[in-house]
């Protein structure tokens, strides 16, 4: 079964996320290791690294993933790609220092270029980043996207092309986002639809390459291409696919991270729903 958790705040220090995770009973968690909306980041201090390590040893949280900066676009212009590669290299280095094995990354936008050219640029940049961080084992997990504008990764076949270009590099994997998959047009609300979607993921991404799930319901209908997260069971998706995922042994022991709104019952209520679904 997946390891249930949430994206948690690091206010007061990175190590504070473990306290919040333990309070909620998380088995996994996702954090930002830096300000996700700024290019510049201050290097981690020895004290920050040590505090994080000590907190991890006494925590119920088994797996931590980071989410890379929203500014990174490896398919962008040459200047943006250069800054993005530098930022991703720094994120991988931070993850290695914190003993975090995976960082989730948005694949980027094609802009005015063709999708084929954008995927080529993305793959070239990923190879450069992987080569520049060859001393580390941290994986980059490309996230499935909702399909707004020229974003890459809404069509699973984008990832087939990418894997071919990077020669199935083991340090490149995927994060499957339930809300994004639904908004991109994939039917997941029935057992048949869920299995068909997972089969397509297997074909284009390889289930062995999926190392994280993002979980939230959707405020908008299937195929809307809008990234609008909602509390579990309160949107257009419903609880059925989350119930199937919770019992899906193909995704055992990988983090299933809530990205639901923090208002209302917040993480506590949504985690409770996942636990109940897992017990069915």
């Amino acid at each position: 079964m997946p390891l249930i958790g949430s994206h948690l705040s690091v206010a007061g220090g990175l190590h504070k996320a473990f306290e919040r995770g333990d309070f909620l009973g998380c088995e996994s968690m996702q954090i930002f290791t830096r300000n996700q909306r700024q290019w510049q980041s201050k290097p981690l201090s020895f004290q920050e690294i040590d505090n994080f390590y000590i907190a991890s040893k006494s925590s119920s949280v088994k797996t931590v993933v980071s989410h890379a900066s929203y500014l990174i676009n490896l398919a962008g212009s040459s200047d943006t790609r250069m800054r993005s590669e530098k930022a991703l290299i720094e994120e991988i280095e931070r993850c290695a220092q914190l003993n975090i094995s995976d960082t989730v990354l948005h694949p980027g936008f094609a802009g005015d270029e063709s999708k084929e050219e954008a995927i080529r640029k993305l793959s070239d940049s990923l190879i450069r980043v992987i080569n520049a961080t060859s001393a580390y084992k941290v994986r980059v997990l490309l996230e499935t996207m909702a399909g707004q504008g020229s974003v890459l990764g809404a069509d699973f076949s984008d990832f087939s092309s990418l894997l071919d270009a990077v020669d199935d590099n083991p340090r490149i994997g995927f994060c499957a986002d339930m809300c994004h998959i639904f908004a991109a047009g994939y039917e997941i609300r029935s057992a048949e639809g869920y299995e068909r979607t997972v089969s397509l993921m297997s074909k284009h991404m390889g289930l062995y390459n999926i190392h994280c799930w993002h979980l939230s319901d959707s405020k908008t209908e299937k195929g809307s291409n809008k990234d609008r997260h909602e509390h579990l069971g309160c949107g257009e998706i419903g609880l059925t696919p989350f119930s199937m995922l919770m019992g899906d042994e193909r995704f055992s022991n990988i983090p299933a991270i809530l990205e639901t709104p923090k208002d209302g019952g917040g993480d506590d209520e949504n985690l409770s729903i996942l636990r109940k679904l897992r017990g069915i």
Side-chain angles (χ1 to χ4, degrees), residues 196-243:
R196 185 183 305 114
T197 299
V198 171
S199 177
L200 287 170
M201 292 168 66
S202 178
K203 175 183 177 181
H204 294 294
M205 301 150 72
L207 298 188
Y208 55 88
N209 284 324
I210 297 173
H211 301 293
C212 182
W213 276 86
H214 282 171
L215 306 184
S216 68
D217 211 319
S218 174
K219 289 182 182 290
T220 58
E221 69 276 6
K222 180 172 75 75
S224 67
N225 298 132
K226 294 180 179 179
D227 183 3
R228 303 288 186 272
H229 293 204
E230 180 59 283
H231 294 290
L232 301 184
C234 296
E236 297 293 326
I237 296 177
L239 293 179
T240 298
F242 300 101
S243 178

Side-chain angles (χ1 to χ4, degrees), residues 2 26 32 74 78 91 120 122 150 155 181 185 189-190 221 269:
C26 289
F32 292 121
L74 297 179
S78 57
E91 181 64 27
R120 184 195 65 77
L122 169 61
S150 63
D155 187 331
I181 288 170
R189 292 171 292 186
S190 65
E221 69 276 6
E269 186 171 312

Side-chain angles (χ1 to χ4, degrees), residues 1 4 243 246-247 272-280:
M1 294 179 287
I4 297 169
S243 178
M246 287 299 100
S272 177
I273 289 172
L274 290 178
R275 292 188 190 101
K276 290 176 182 176
L277 294 175
R278 192 163 65 176
I280 295 174

